[in-house]
Amino acid sequence: MKVLFDETTIQKRVAELAHDIEACYEGRPFTLLVILKGAFVFAADLFRRIRSPLVRVEFLRIASYRGTVSSGTVILPPPEELARFAARDVLIVEDIVDTGLTLSALVDALRGTGVSSVRVCSFLEKTEIHQGRVKIDFLGFSVPNHFIVGYGLDCDEKHRNLPYLALYEET
Ligand code: IMP
């Protein structure tokens, strides 16, 4: 598989994102809301780079993909599960924004629970596809319209453990 970003490039960008995020919250408490499963590797690196003692971490499981094709249906957690974020400053941590359907549905649902603020940090985006459907406050890299694996991103649960990002090729 063709390497898109190697480990060194990834870690450098993660450190820059952590720095920008800390500057944005200016010492106020905030919660990283990590979207499982894809974002867990990125989020673990990002979380350890954030020096603020007031950062917390929570997880949500959302899925819309089967293989390399979006199912088109986003299954969100029930409102009771989102209610725990009310009155908090929430930073959603996502692996990749493709169509943007997953994130826009989640942002709307969170707003409905009365969060203090909701921002988005996505490690990757396919700009061509989501065309601004979602506002990404903190972005790692824009990538081509190709299926990507590694650094937490999978294809049918495979390749998540690659330490780099690669363009997926069927083997
Ligand atoms: P969206 O709703 O189309 O933006 O898709 C969001 C989710 O689909 C992401 O959080 C990923 O889990 C998955 N996804 C989208 N594109 C890719 C890709 O290129 N590789 C791996 N997973 C992807």
Side-chain angles (χ1 to χ4, degrees), residues 27-41:
R28 285 176 285 117
F30 64 104
T31 302
L32 295 192
L33 176 54
V34 182
I35 309 305
L36 297 174
K37 299 177 189 175
F40 89 98
V41 175

Side-chain angles (χ1 to χ4, degrees), residues 32 36 41 49 57 76 86 93 107 109 122-123 130 133 150 160:
L32 295 192
L36 297 174
V41 175
R49 294 270 186 181
V57 66
L76 287 178
V93 179
V107 167
S122 183
F123 195 56
H130 82 87
R133 186 178 279 128
R160 275 194 210 283

Side-chain angles (χ1 to χ4, degrees), residues 98-145:
D98 182 357
T99 63
L101 288 171
T102 310
L103 264 191
S104 58
L106 179 61
V107 167
D108 289 349
L110 279 170
R111 291 222 167 96
T113 70
V115 287
S116 293
S117 68
V118 53
R119 291 187 176 87
V120 171
C121 173
S122 183
F123 195 56
L124 306 174
E125 72 157 359
K126 293 179 187 166
T127 326
E128 217 181 290
I129 308 213
H130 82 87
Q131 296 183 342
R133 186 178 279 128
V134 174
K135 178 173 181 270
I136 302 175
D137 301 273
F138 305 97
L139 173 69
F141 301 103
S142 287
V143 294
N145 182 18

Side-chain angles (χ1 to χ4, degrees), residues 35-39 62-65 67-68 70 74 94-103 126 129-130 143-144 146-149 153-155 160:
I35 309 305
L36 297 174
K37 299 177 189 175
I62 300 180
S64 69
Y65 260 72
T68 60
S70 172
V74 181
E94 180 61 297
D95 52 355
I96 184 164
V97 177
D98 182 357
T99 63
L101 288 171
T102 310
L103 264 191
K126 293 179 187 166
I129 308 213
H130 82 87
V143 294
H146 194 289
F147 204 76
I148 315 284
V149 291
L153 286 88
D154 72 311
C155 181
R160 275 194 210 283

Side-chain angles (χ1 to χ4, degrees), residues 42-71:
F42 166 49
D45 284 344
L46 185 69
F47 189 61
R48 283 176 293 188
R49 294 270 186 181
I50 295 172
R51 296 285 164 224
S52 166
L54 300 178
V55 64
R56 294 163 65 166
V57 66
E58 301 279 354
F59 300 90
L60 270 189
R61 177 94 167 92
I62 300 180
S64 69
Y65 260 72
R66 244 176 261 126
T68 60
V69 182
S70 172
S71 69

